[in-house]
Amino acid sequence: MTETRFLHPPEPVLYAPIIEAAVREDLNHGDITTAVTIPPGQQAGAVIVAKEPCVAAGLFVAMHTFRLMDPQIRFANTAPEGSSLEPGDILLELSGDCAAILIAERTALNFLQRMCGTATMTARFVQEVSGTACRIVDTRKTTPGLRILEKYAVRAGGGFNHRFDLSDGILIKDNHIAACGSVSEAVKRARKLAPHTLKIEVEVTSASELNEAIEAGADAALLDNMDCGQLAEAVKFARGRRADMLLEASGSVTLQNVRDIAETGVDIISSGALTHSAPAVDLSLRMK
């Protein structure tokens, strides 16, 4: 198991309702199997183990899930958030009321497998661009209701977060430009009304749109669906005009091409795949 940097999880008030809703969905009128097989008060211990290489993320969510069923459940040997795990490594040991552990098992694993999957996918992208100055960032292409957890998992994997929501920054996209009539008009309107604390980023798909964004005074440009040759030309052009302009590449980013994209000189590579396409990690809870 390899440890990584300290990660501060979200405040419980932000994720507790998500977990409570998931527990209610699964529990419904009660766990009839546990009720007819496990006597009240029986104690037990269990471990959650990795069955494939992965990055740990979301142990605090799993613990919260179990404690909803029994606040007295005890935990030990918790894997550090963001640590690399191999098959057989323990993510979490727990002990307490046997029925509570069994009732919460599936919901806790659902969250944990998904978050570890996102962290693992992110770590692979981050590893591919190691040695460059480029950051891997997520998008708003998250599972409805799970954004706070999925974006945390991206950070656990070594990535960074883009906007959390629509109020988190100004990103003028193709449909905004179409509605405004031009890049320059869209930037002009945004600059006039936007709070002074927010930067303005513009999505561009061509050299002419990039030039228009630069002349309009945009702070950043999202270079959308450009191939590596186009990206390299765009970076060279933008750096010659505005050395401080932040350049983001997005669209059709894969593990196979992310290194080539990073080497074009862009500052950021954003990928929705980190959250919408990460496979769940295979984990297992085993009763002692």
Side-chain angles (χ1 to χ4, degrees):
M1 181 172 67
T2 303
E3 294 190 13
T4 186
R5 68 189 190 283
F6 171 76
L7 282 165
H8 192 280
E11 296 299 328
V13 68
L14 298 175
Y15 63 79
I18 301 171
I19 300 172
E20 291 165 7
V23 169
R24 285 195 300 270
E25 176 185 58
D26 200 37
L27 187 56
N28 199 3
H29 298 299
D31 179 355
I32 188 169
T33 306
T34 297
V36 298
T37 59
I38 307 299
Q42 179 174 328
Q43 299 295 293
V47 293
I48 296 177
V49 298
K51 298 176 70 176
E52 62 179 307
C54 64
V55 173
L59 276 300
F60 61 94
V61 175
M63 289 189 285
H64 190 104
T65 306
F66 286 111
R67 282 183 171 145
L68 280 177
M69 294 296 97
D70 177 14
Q72 303 306 314
I73 286 181
R74 300 172 299 281
F75 302 101
N77 294 329
T78 306
E81 296 285 322
S83 59
S84 297
L85 305 173
E86 296 298 325
D89 283 347
I90 294 174
L91 283 83
L92 182 66
E93 291 187 18
L94 61 157
S95 59
D97 185 82
C98 183
I101 293 172
L102 291 170
I103 291 169
E105 173 187 358
R106 182 70 268 154
T107 302
L109 286 175
N110 284 348
F111 281 119
L112 199 53
Q113 289 179 291
R114 188 179 195 92
M115 293 179 70
C116 288
T118 294
T120 302
M121 172 76 84
T122 302
R124 290 172 181 161
F125 274 87
V126 171
Q127 179 60 36
E128 286 296 324
V129 303
S130 63
T132 74
C134 190
R135 285 185 172 186
I136 298 296
V137 305
D138 54 25
T139 70
R140 286 171 35 250
K141 295 177 182 177
T142 54
T143 307
L146 297 181
R147 181 171 295 172
I148 188 73
L149 300 180
E150 291 180 349
K151 279 183 170 283
Y152 168 84
V154 167
R155 300 198 304 276
F160 293 82
N161 296 141
H162 210 300
R163 296 186 299 171
F164 264 81
D165 53 52
L166 292 170
S167 67
D168 213 22
I170 299 169
L171 177 51
I172 300 171
K173 304 197 77 175
D174 54 351
N175 286 328
H176 298 99
I177 294 168
C180 291
S182 67
V183 169
S184 56
E185 179 61 23
V187 175
K188 178 182 176 182
R189 293 182 187 181
R191 187 68 71 190
K192 181 179 179 181
L193 298 175
H196 69 281
T197 55
L198 294 183
K199 292 184 177 182
I200 297 174
E201 183 173 12
V202 182
E203 178 183 284
V204 299
T205 58
S206 66
S208 61
E209 287 184 343
L210 175 59
N211 182 57
E212 194 176 353
I214 293 171
E215 291 188 344
D219 301 297
L222 188 158
L223 311 173
D224 189 44
N225 279 305
M226 295 185 181
D227 61 35
C228 286
Q230 293 171 317
L231 286 171
E233 287 297 318
V235 170
K236 181 180 179 180
F237 176 77
R239 298 289 186 241
R241 298 285 307 279
R242 283 263 309 282
D244 63 338
M245 190 176 205
L246 188 73
L247 299 174
E248 172 185 346
S250 188
S252 302
V253 179
T254 68
L255 283 168
Q256 289 68 44
N257 66 14
V258 69
R259 178 77 189 191
D260 292 336
I261 295 173
E263 290 179 346
T264 66
V266 294
D267 302 297
I268 291 171
I269 299 174
S270 58
S271 173
L274 303 182
T275 51
H276 69 56
S277 295
V281 166
D282 192 4
L283 306 175
S284 177
L285 183 146
R286 298 171 183 169
M287 299 295 285
K288 292 184 179 179

